[in-house]
Amino acid sequence: MNHKGFIFDMDGVVVDNHSFHFKAWMEFSKKYNFPLNSEIYRDTFNGKTNADLFRMIFGDISDKECKQYGDEKESWYQTLYKKEMKPHTGLIEYLYFLKDKKVKIALGTSAPPMNVDFTLDNLSLRHFFDVIVDGTRVDQGKPHPQVYQLCAKELGLEPKECVVFEDSLAGLQSGKSAGCSIIGVATSHTEAELKNHVNQIIPNFSSPKVFLL
């Protein structure tokens, strides 16, 4: 294989859960009366940490307030998604393929720990990942490269040795700025929307392209 490390974003990559996060955010926006629609969500919310988002919405609030809002919103999301959740198409087979090739695997996400635990433990995915970096472990959310720089560092690799799978434009910029190879996953954006931002795009992990990386 051409790469020694494979780094996966979580929301929209490990799981195709875009619509459930959007529904939860819409309920949150109705309760707290701020403008939100699918276009704003797609272009502004994807890839950012909860702390970044709640300060964007409410201004200079405390870490405690950010956590309280985050817990509320994520509880709505988990209630909506729990009965529907499943790994993205082809993911399990691909992770076993990578493990068989003895490459290193990381999760690099802006999501809070409660959602990382919710996803990895309910789907029994935790054992696949050598490194997990969530939104609380970075000072700068995507598109800043910090999350992917940290993933590469903790894998013991240079960013240029790693490939990043991302669905959001902010995430793709994050991976690119970190110095990683980037692969677009067409979930929260269509292939047509992604093509101006990334050369390689897959619909899911059943794509033959991913086995050639």
Side-chain angles (χ1 to χ4, degrees):
M1 303 186 78
N2 297 324
H3 296 89
K4 296 180 180 179
F6 286 70
I7 308 176
F8 295 77
D9 176 39
M10 188 175 76
D11 295 324
V13 175
V14 168
V15 284
D16 185 4
N17 58 350
H18 169 81
S19 63
F20 296 92
H21 270 300
F22 177 64
K23 289 174 185 177
W25 272 113
M26 286 302 296
E27 290 299 318
F28 192 84
S29 73
K30 290 174 186 176
K31 178 176 179 179
Y32 291 102
N33 193 30
F34 61 89
L36 184 63
N37 56 35
S38 59
E39 184 176 347
I40 293 171
Y41 176 76
R42 181 193 62 195
D43 294 342
T44 308
F45 278 52
N46 281 347
K48 288 186 171 63
T49 65
N50 272 354
D52 286 341
L53 289 170
F54 292 123
R55 289 189 171 111
M56 179 179 74
I57 294 164
F58 297 113
D60 187 20
I61 60 175
S62 68
D63 290 345
K64 181 179 179 180
E65 288 172 304
C66 284
K67 186 178 187 307
Q68 289 172 339
Y69 285 128
D71 288 349
E72 181 179 7
K73 180 265 164 183
E74 303 310 346
S75 293
W76 285 346
Y77 155 71
Q78 291 184 10
T79 298
L80 288 167
Y81 189 47
K82 188 168 186 178
K83 291 183 180 179
E84 306 292 332
M85 67 187 308
K86 59 184 179 181
H88 197 21
T89 304
L91 177 76
I92 299 295
E93 294 82 358
Y94 188 55
L95 290 173
Y96 274 118
F97 168 79
L98 295 179
K99 282 294 185 185
D100 186 59
K101 296 295 183 181
K102 310 296 184 187
V103 299
K104 297 179 179 180
I105 305 174
L107 185 78
T109 177
S110 299
M114 67 181 292
N115 278 358
V116 173
D117 294 343
F118 171 74
T119 301
L120 297 188
D121 295 336
N122 277 295
L123 296 177
S124 300
L125 297 175
R126 188 178 295 275
H127 66 100
F128 287 110
F129 297 97
D130 302 299
V131 165
I132 296 171
V133 177
D134 63 45
T136 64
R137 298 195 56 210
V138 295
D139 301 317
Q140 302 285 334
K142 301 170 186 176
H144 193 280
Q146 186 180 17
V147 62
Y148 291 124
Q149 291 170 335
L150 184 55
C151 282
K153 180 180 179 180
E154 294 197 356
L155 288 174
L157 299 171
E158 294 295 325
K160 65 183 180 182
E161 298 178 292
C162 299
V163 60
V164 165
F165 292 98
E166 261 286 358
D167 67 304
S168 72
L169 301 186
L172 288 168
Q173 183 58 54
S174 175
K176 183 177 181 180
S177 296
C180 303
S181 298
I182 52 174
I183 308 293
V185 183
T187 52
S188 58
H189 292 275
T190 66
E191 291 195 26
E193 290 169 334
L194 290 175
K195 69 180 182 180
N196 291 330
H197 302 274
V198 62
N199 292 326
Q200 296 193 64
I201 303 168
I202 58 171
N204 54 58
F205 293 96
S206 294
S207 171
K209 293 179 183 178
V210 297
F211 293 93
L212 302 176
L213 297 170

